[in-house]
Amino acid sequence: MLRFSIQRSTRYFSTSIPRQQQHLTDVAIIGAGPAGLSLAAALKANPTTKSLSVGLIEGSSLDPVKNFSQSPPENFTNRVSSITAQSVDYLEHIGAWKFIDQARIEPFDNIVAYDGLSNSRIEFDNMEMGTMCENINLQSCLLQRIEELNDPTLKIWDSTKVTNIANDTDDAANGWPVIQLSNGDSVKTRLLVGADGFNSPVRKFAAIESRGWAYDRFGVVASLKLKYEDYRSIAWQRFLPTGPVALLPLPEKNATMVWSTTPELSKLLVGLPEDVFIALANCAFVLPQVDLNYYYTLAQNEEYDELLSDIKWRFENYTSKPTIDIEDFPIALESVIPQSRARFPLKLSHADSYVSNRVALVGDAAHTTHPLAGQGLNMGQGDVKSLVESLELAMKRGLDIGNLLALEPYWAQRWPENHVLLGVVDKLHKLYSIDWSPVVAVRSWGLDVVNSLPMLKDFMMKQVSGK
Amino acid sequence: MSLLKNYPTHIPIKGIDRLIMGAACFFGATLHPENNNYITGIGEITAFEPVLTRIRDSMLSNKVGRQILRERPRITSKTLDLDYLKSLPPDTFGNTYYKWLQREKVSPDTRVPVHYIDDEELAYVFQRYRECHDFHHAISGLPIVLEGEIAVKAFEFANFGLPFAGAGAVISPFKLTQKQRTRLFDVYYPWCFSNGLNCKGLINIYWEQQMEKKIDELRRELGIESPPPDMRTLRKMDGAKKIT
Ligand SMILES: Cc1cc2nc3c(=O)[nH]c(=O)nc-3n(C[C@H](O)[C@H](O)[C@H](O)COP(=O)(O)OP(=O)(O)OC[C@H]3O[C@@H](n4cnc5c(N)ncnc54)[C@H](O)[C@@H]3O)c2cc1C
């Protein structure tokens, strides 16, 4: 593990070995994930902020992102996010969306969310609900936009880790952050932006507290093939007591899933033989909880033959009931792309502030959420938009962009908005974790009521799609 | 919902009709306990969907229960080879069951098909319960005189939680003599409730596949104690009159 100095009073001394350079930037961004790349592109696309010199530092190699446009991988990668219409608008605005690989994204105009215990359901349909897009496709379009802008005052260091951050004076209120890079160089910056994800070294350097909790759940992701193409373009989400399982559309017969479940089950799901995983995943969208529980036990005991033959019987038997309409469920899954299964711990966290002197946080560095509403990445895009606007305004007023006066409008605008969203998603997760029947009955009734009230649905949908 | 048949013997009835039918069966059964149609009618009407669903879910949570739901075995004189059961050693479950059928002068075919339960799978669950009823008699050694019937119902109620079985066990004792009632409460109820509650789920027993097993061994496996004192013998000692 890397250790980051959080002592802002530590004076930074450049070492005397000559080939180690100290660079100077107006804005140093740590992290070239969706948030960091978007910020770099946005700063350079904006007529006012483009005069700022920018350094972008990323620990891992950006080669996969660079190669994506020329030789995209044959199969879909497993990190896929739903991009809201609002985020797409912004990406268009900064001139990046035109570089998105159109053949690998899938817009959807329906969301079907249903209760795993009562099968009560709510359906939203509207043009431009969202677009399913691989994270790497998004990163690639942003990088292409940066290349198109071809601005010599933007410098990218990839495969370069930040090993330490310190202040250049003992006086934290006036000092500039100095970033120590793993290649021996250092970067001194007027403004340091942490787009460095959940474990944000920048947040630790700025001693900003982040509050929240782990959900004791993991999200299992996988790239999947459907039996045949689903022309309905629906994002499916079924709320099981262990967590929601979502099936999201990709072009042709492709789909991606996020199956939130307990740590033990997530580990099991990632390790199951492929055919067993697919059979179980199909059950997760259709069969009652009692069957799923039985199958989990069989899977844990590695009784795979028994599991497959039982599923074959039960699926047929259950879906032939007159009360069950197979049209109400997703198209059956056919296979999982080898090695595409992975799991991520899910947590809620929110930083107490997004800014301090010469520091700003964007994206997962500032907040993380349960993926059930598909908002994490989009919140980061919202942050970027707001931060760039604040910096633009500050420059027009002649303020130092690292000054708290320049940064505070950003956090004043974003923090409350994000806080509400984090809260709603958190409550949803909790509500649907309950399997006590009176609660199931009330929430199902609630869902049925909402489903029958178009106006309320429109309102909720505007919140989700960000429009 | 449509009134289409969900399985061959299904008679779809809805809402208020269901209530009326329940009431009619209840009065019919009190006035004419000898008419089996009323009794079975009450059974189906009171086997509320949630209760049957719970029993079905307990089957779905159990390997053998699932196997039964999958294979849907039926118990008739065609599916059970009575001659074979007769030929089994006397201490086997199969032979005990055979002897019980002989002594009580009944046959596996005296069971009525299910009519009024809408879900086809739940209808099977209830049918299965009905068809296994005689096995419950055999394993507990209780006769089908009213008194024995009440005791088996208590045993089943404790094990399945079926309201019909429960109601039968609670209401019916009023039709007994004082002596029979005392015997029921002192000897049979304690046995029935403690064994019904503590033994394995009877609905998940594939009885047809236990025929060759020694009955004592089967009882041990299921967690059932040795049967209560033979009711017919006790009744003879008391000189009680046979009711059914
Ligand atoms: C299962 C799952 C499903 C999801 N689905 C959705 C969805 O449908 N829609 C949605 O909007 N969001 C979704 N999200 C959330 C989304 O993935 C994240 O919010 C988003 O990726 C965060 O982007 P980011 O750029 O802020 O951070 P990250 O993508 O975490 O990027 C941080 C970057 O910083 C770099 N870094 C960190 N430390 C250092 C260091 N010391 N030196 C150099 N570099 C460093 C890292 O290498 C990394 O590249 C999902 C998340 C999960 C787990």
Side-chain angles (χ1 to χ4, degrees):
Chain A
M1 274 301 292
L2 301 175
R3 288 185 155 262
F4 295 94
S5 162
I6 55 163
Q7 266 204 307
R8 304 174 64 199
S9 56
T10 315
R11 179 178 272 274
Y12 177 77
F13 296 102
S14 168
T15 50
S16 51
I17 305 167
R19 57 184 178 80
Q20 293 177 332
Q21 258 185 293
Q22 188 177 74
H23 309 267
L24 199 65
T25 60
D26 289 317
V27 185
I29 305 165
I30 300 186
L37 278 168
S38 191
L39 179 61
L43 284 173
K44 285 300 171 188
N46 181 297
T48 309
T49 57
K50 75 175 184 196
S51 63
L52 298 169
S53 62
V54 176
L56 178 60
I57 304 150
E58 168 58 47
S60 47
S61 163
L62 285 176
D63 288 348
V65 180
K66 283 179 197 148
N67 297 337
F68 183 84
S69 57
Q70 292 309 312
S71 48
E74 184 194 334
N75 288 311
F76 282 84
T77 50
N78 63 8
R79 295 310 315 273
V80 182
S81 298
S82 85
I83 313 286
T84 61
Q86 200 177 35
S87 294
V88 172
D89 281 354
Y90 185 63
L91 291 162
E92 261 166 5
H93 173 73
I94 63 173
W97 191 252
K98 61 177 185 275
F99 291 111
I100 204 84
D101 184 342
Q102 292 283 345
R104 294 177 75 103
I105 61 171
E106 180 74 12
F108 58 94
D109 45 31
N110 270 281
I111 297 180
V112 175
Y114 54 118
D115 193 317
L117 295 179
S118 68
N119 273 344
S120 209
R121 59 178 56 218
I122 185 161
E123 301 185 15
F124 297 101
D125 57 83
N126 179 262
M127 297 304 282
E128 296 180 84
M129 225 33 186
T131 302
M132 294 312 301
C133 174
E134 293 160 280
N135 289 6
I136 190 168
N137 192 359
L138 181 63
Q139 285 173 286
S140 160
C141 90
L142 289 162
L143 198 60
Q144 288 178 71
R145 172 63 174 147
I146 290 170
E147 279 162 11
E148 183 191 45
L149 289 163
N150 194 21
D151 189 320
T153 62
L154 183 134
K155 182 144 180 42
I156 299 180
W157 290 274
D158 71 335
S159 305
T160 307
K161 278 213 153 59
V162 170
T163 55
N164 192 32
I165 309 172
N167 238 309
D168 74 335
T169 74
D170 288 339
D171 176 7
N174 293 311
W176 282 34
V178 177
I179 307 149
Q180 182 63 50
L181 306 182
S182 56
N183 65 6
D185 288 2
S186 60
V187 180
K188 182 168 169 177
T189 186
R190 182 185 296 275
L191 172 64
L192 169 63
V193 180
D196 43 0
F198 174 70
N199 280 317
S200 178
V202 173
R203 192 184 62 229
K204 285 171 195 159
F205 160 72
I208 296 173
E209 187 80 37
S210 174
R211 289 165 210 277
W213 49 80
Y215 280 116
D216 194 29
R217 289 288 182 277
F218 278 73
V220 174
V221 297
S223 304
L224 306 162
K225 293 270 181 202
L226 305 176
K227 287 231 164 85
Y228 43 91
E229 186 172 352
D230 192 344
Y231 294 100
R232 297 173 291 180
S233 86
I234 298 175
W236 301 90
Q237 180 139 270
R238 189 179 194 212
F239 287 87
L240 301 172
T242 39
V245 52
L247 187 71
L248 306 147
L250 286 172
E252 291 161 8
K253 284 167 60 181
N254 297 287
T256 184
M257 86 173 335
V258 184
W259 187 343
S260 321
T261 188
T262 60
E264 307 78 49
L265 277 176
S266 66
K267 207 164 157 195
L268 180 76
L269 290 173
V270 170
L272 284 176
E274 283 168 12
D275 54 338
V276 177
F277 173 76
I278 282 296
L280 206 54
N282 274 322
C283 295
F285 287 99
V286 180
L287 290 188
Q289 189 58 36
V290 56
D291 292 301
L292 295 180
N293 288 341
Y294 181 74
Y295 293 149
Y296 295 150
T297 315
L298 285 188
Q300 260 143 2
N301 299 338
E302 299 184 21
E303 296 177 59
Y304 300 140
D305 291 340
E306 169 83 16
L307 181 69
L308 290 175
S309 87
D310 193 293
I311 288 177
K312 207 162 173 236
W313 156 69
R314 185 65 185 156
F315 210 87
E316 172 69 35
N317 162 282
Y318 183 77
T319 52
S320 62
K321 285 183 194 288
T323 48
I324 301 295
D325 184 355
I326 198 68
E327 290 280 302
D328 288 342
F329 299 100
I331 303 280
L333 306 171
E334 187 178 66
S335 59
V336 53
I337 305 296
Q339 265 90 54
S340 72
R341 277 174 285 168
R343 59 184 199 129
F344 299 90
L346 305 181
K347 46 201 163 228
L348 171 116
S349 66
H350 202 188
D352 281 357
S353 172
Y354 298 172
V355 299
S356 74
N357 187 44
R358 302 205 177 281
V359 174
L361 304 174
V362 291
D364 276 21
H367 41 68
T368 53
T369 173
H370 195 293
L372 71 86
Q375 294 297 322
L377 186 151
N378 292 291
M379 289 163 84
Q381 298 302 304
D383 296 345
V384 167
K385 176 170 188 270
S386 172
L387 178 60
V388 173
E389 280 166 9
S390 297
L391 296 180
E392 181 185 356
L393 192 68
M395 287 173 76
K396 284 180 174 158
R397 288 182 180 164
L399 285 170
D400 173 354
I401 57 156
N403 195 292
L404 268 179
L405 280 177
L407 299 172
E408 259 168 355
Y410 157 60
W411 109 270
Q413 182 188 14
R414 288 303 292 166
W415 196 91
E417 241 173 77
N418 287 338
H419 201 68
V420 169
L421 200 57
L422 293 175
V424 169
V425 172
D426 184 50
K427 302 298 175 293
L428 265 175
H429 164 75
K430 293 200 168 118
L431 179 60
Y432 280 92
S433 306
I434 300 172
D435 59 3
W436 189 50
S437 51
V439 175
V440 175
V442 170
R443 77 176 180 225
S444 304
W445 174 79
L447 212 55
D448 290 340
V449 169
V450 174
N451 200 27
S452 62
L453 294 177
M455 271 174 49
L456 184 55
K457 255 169 50 168
D458 275 357
F459 170 77
M460 288 172 60
M461 208 168 53
K462 286 199 182 94
Q463 302 301 307
V464 174
S465 68
K467 275 213 158 174
Chain B
M1 252 207 267
S2 69
L3 293 187
L4 289 175
K5 279 178 189 265
N6 294 339
Y7 52 94
T9 63
H10 185 205
I11 302 177
I13 48 167
K14 289 285 157 213
I16 193 81
D17 294 344
R18 188 166 270 270
L19 263 178
I20 294 171
M21 145 120 195
C25 286
F26 186 78
F27 285 115
T30 351
L31 297 173
H32 299 282
E34 74 287 352
N35 185 336
N36 203 23
N37 281 334
Y38 292 126
I39 303 272
T40 57
I42 300 187
E44 287 183 35
I45 293 290
T46 58
F48 306 108
E49 206 180 295
V51 181
L52 283 178
T53 304
R54 194 170 46 73
I55 296 176
R56 193 252 327 261
D57 286 355
S58 89
M59 296 177 80
L60 285 174
S61 308
N62 178 284
K63 201 163 225 156
V64 180
R66 287 185 88 91
Q67 192 192 354
I68 294 170
L69 286 174
R70 190 165 166 177
E71 295 170 3
R72 300 237 175 142
R74 296 294 305 268
I75 302 159
T76 65
S77 54
K78 282 194 205 75
T79 60
L80 277 184
D81 185 348
L82 293 182
D83 289 336
Y84 171 67
L85 298 185
K86 190 178 172 185
S87 73
L88 288 171
D91 57 350
T92 56
F93 174 66
N95 192 265
T96 311
Y97 172 64
Y98 176 79
K99 281 181 294 196
W100 184 86
L101 287 177
Q102 294 304 302
R103 188 166 95 164
E104 303 297 334
K105 300 186 185 60
V106 288
S107 105
D109 298 329
T110 40
R111 309 260 69 112
V112 208
V114 173
H115 294 303
Y116 306 114
I117 293 165
D118 289 333
D119 182 87
E120 170 270 345
E121 189 172 49
L122 295 184
Y124 173 76
V125 171
F126 199 70
Q127 185 76 42
R128 175 76 187 166
Y129 153 74
R130 230 176 227 178
E131 291 180 349
C132 291
H133 181 71
D134 288 348
F135 296 132
H136 304 157
H137 274 286
I139 197 96
S140 59
L142 292 162
I144 57 169
V145 292
L146 183 58
E147 205 181 334
E149 203 60 68
I150 295 169
V152 172
K153 288 272 188 281
F155 179 53
E156 289 174 343
F157 173 61
N159 195 259
F160 295 73
L162 259 190
F164 173 59
V170 174
I171 297 166
S172 315
F174 296 110
K175 306 199 87 171
L176 299 176
T177 64
Q178 180 59 42
K179 192 159 232 142
Q180 287 171 328
R181 213 167 347 184
T182 317
R183 188 161 58 216
L184 194 61
F185 282 103
D186 292 352
V187 180
Y188 293 105
Y189 270 8
W191 186 93
C192 291
F193 280 109
S194 87
N195 282 280
L197 281 175
N198 294 325
C199 75
K200 285 195 181 157
L202 296 175
I203 196 75
N204 292 329
I205 310 300
Y206 216 132
W207 298 101
E208 298 88 321
Q209 297 177 355
Q210 313 295 327
M211 294 300 174
E212 290 84 7
K213 205 166 260 168
K214 295 215 176 356
I215 187 148
D216 290 339
E217 196 189 321
L218 181 60
R219 286 201 182 106
R220 213 173 18 252
E221 266 180 37
L222 301 183
I224 297 178
E225 300 163 2
S226 7
D230 185 62
M231 194 181 267
R232 282 200 191 270
T233 319
L234 287 185
R235 282 163 68 95
K236 261 202 209 94
M237 279 161 47
D238 282 348
K241 213 173 116 242
K242 192 177 167 192
I243 290 184
T244 35

